[in-house]
Amino acid sequence: MIVGRDHLRWIFTITAIALAATAAYVAYATLAPNGPRGGSPAGLGFAFLGTGVIVFECLLSLRKKYPASPLGRVSAWLRAHLWLGLLSFLLILFHAGFRWGQGLAALLMGLFAVITGSGIFGLALQNWLPRLMLERVARETLYDQIPRVIEELRGEADERVEFVTADLAVGGGTIELVRAGGVKRYFDPAQKASAQEKIDAVAAQRKQAAQIAIDETSTAALRAHYTQEVRPFLTLRPPELSRRLFRTPESLAAYFQFLRTILPVAAHQVIRDLEEICDERRQLALQARLHHWLHGWLYVHVPLSMAFLVLILVHAVVSLRY
């Protein structure tokens, strides 16, 4: 969620409520003969308001499951979740009289601090990482499509290298490539069969004999570098050696510049194609890492929030009973 001008009304409203609550707390703390206490009428009032906000906060997960619900847009719920969440932390501090407490109360305060901190951390990530992804991932794709795109890149790379080495004998069939323009559709089954026959004929010709002639030593060198270092990188989980070789644009460019120095000019176009393919795979790896960062904090924030809500109910029952 990007914090922009659409948040201004919430910021002003929550700030005004927070100032009013602060004024009420200062008056209450000053006039209370024994100081602020959680069990006093004012302390219970702050607890009631803070708990009500926390219950609303936990309803966001349920609201997301029904995006077509008439109960307001999800974006409006997200803005409310952000700013009301900060307000609830202040209200609970007023309820506790800014004391950490002991036992279950201390556990609740610790959990609430972690939940609030993780929410602020997630907000910072959501405002920073998308811009970083836009700058560094020029060939961004849908996250769920990354395995498919990697498979396509590996198929493309195999084809390029086999123009020089002939059959690589690495297994795997020809795949139908999917690009931004959409999937080609064959409305006539005979036409589709004919097209596939042409693809199979070209692949068979490429595998039987090299289409780009270079000396045997260079061919063996290209085959070895490709099968041992490049092709393993074009998998869903590359080994450490390949990740290290192609981790940055600089290391990737240096690797393929080295290949150009040991291979004849006739193979340089293939090397350039492989470099572009590996660079796209590198960007997909970066996109996956940023995606995990962008969403990983929720694995801390959401479960702790649910546990916190349950413990609040336990705390309320125990406090009112004893």
Side-chain angles (χ1 to χ4, degrees), residues 14-25:
I14 296 301
T15 300
I17 295 174
L19 290 175
T22 301
Y25 174 78

Side-chain angles (χ1 to χ4, degrees), residues 280-300:
E280 184 169 351
R281 175 65 183 93
R282 180 192 62 79
Q283 292 183 40
L284 291 175
L286 177 58
Q287 179 185 344
R289 289 198 300 272
L290 294 179
H291 178 89
H292 293 153
W293 273 99
L294 190 60
H295 299 277
W297 65 277
L298 289 171
Y299 291 101
V300 174

Side-chain angles (χ1 to χ4, degrees), residues 166-304:
D167 189 9
L168 284 168
V170 291
T174 302
I175 61 173
E176 185 176 1
L177 301 182
V178 180
R179 284 295 176 260
V183 180
K184 182 177 180 181
R185 291 177 169 82
Y186 298 89
F187 297 99
D188 183 356
Q191 181 186 6
K192 182 174 182 179
S194 176
Q196 186 60 49
E197 290 173 359
K198 293 178 181 178
I199 293 173
D200 293 341
V202 171
Q205 181 181 8
R206 185 182 66 244
K207 290 178 178 297
Q208 288 175 1
Q211 307 298 299
I212 301 175
I214 61 176
D215 61 275
E216 293 183 2
T217 301
S218 298
T219 300
L222 175 59
R223 180 189 294 269
H225 283 288
Y226 178 71
T227 56
Q228 296 174 21
E229 297 162 350
V230 178
R231 196 173 194 275
F233 183 62
L234 303 176
T235 58
L236 192 58
R237 294 179 176 81
E240 177 59 29
L241 172 62
S242 296
R243 291 201 306 269
R244 188 168 62 250
L245 285 174
F246 307 117
R247 188 181 302 276
T248 65
E250 294 76 17
S251 62
L252 187 147
Y255 177 87
F256 285 100
Q257 182 58 36
F258 164 74
L259 288 188
R260 292 187 188 96
T261 63
I262 65 172
L263 295 175
V265 175
H268 284 191
Q269 182 58 53
V270 172
I271 301 304
R272 280 192 291 271
D273 292 342
L274 288 179
E275 184 174 5
E276 291 180 2
I277 290 170
C278 287
D279 187 59
E280 184 169 351
R281 175 65 183 93
R282 180 192 62 79
Q283 292 183 40
L284 291 175
L286 177 58
Q287 179 185 344
R289 289 198 300 272
L290 294 179
H291 178 89
H292 293 153
W293 273 99
L294 190 60
H295 299 277
W297 65 277
L298 289 171
Y299 291 101
V300 174
H301 188 75
V302 174
L304 288 184

Side-chain angles (χ1 to χ4, degrees), residues 17-36:
I17 295 174
L19 290 175
T22 301
Y25 174 78
V26 170
Y28 148 65
T30 303
L31 298 176
N34 298 320

Side-chain angles (χ1 to χ4, degrees), residues 52-75:
V53 173
I54 291 168
V55 171
F56 171 79
E57 296 285 285
C58 292
L59 291 176
L60 177 63
S61 297
L62 183 62
R63 176 65 185 85
K64 286 183 176 180
K65 292 182 179 179
Y66 302 97
S69 171
L71 300 176
R73 295 182 177 180
V74 174
S75 59

Side-chain angles (χ1 to χ4, degrees), residues 153-163 165-166 168 170-171 206 226 231 234 274:
L153 291 175
R154 188 170 63 251
E156 289 184 34
D158 288 348
E159 290 178 3
R160 300 299 192 278
V161 174
E162 285 181 342
F163 278 112
T165 65
L168 284 168
V170 291
R206 185 182 66 244
Y226 178 71
R231 196 173 194 275
L234 303 176
L274 288 179

Side-chain angles (χ1 to χ4, degrees), residues 53 57 79-90 112 116:
V53 173
E57 296 285 285
R79 289 192 292 271
H81 182 87
L82 168 60
W83 299 110
L84 287 174
L86 294 175
L87 177 63
S88 68
F89 189 72
L90 181 64
F112 204 7
T116 303

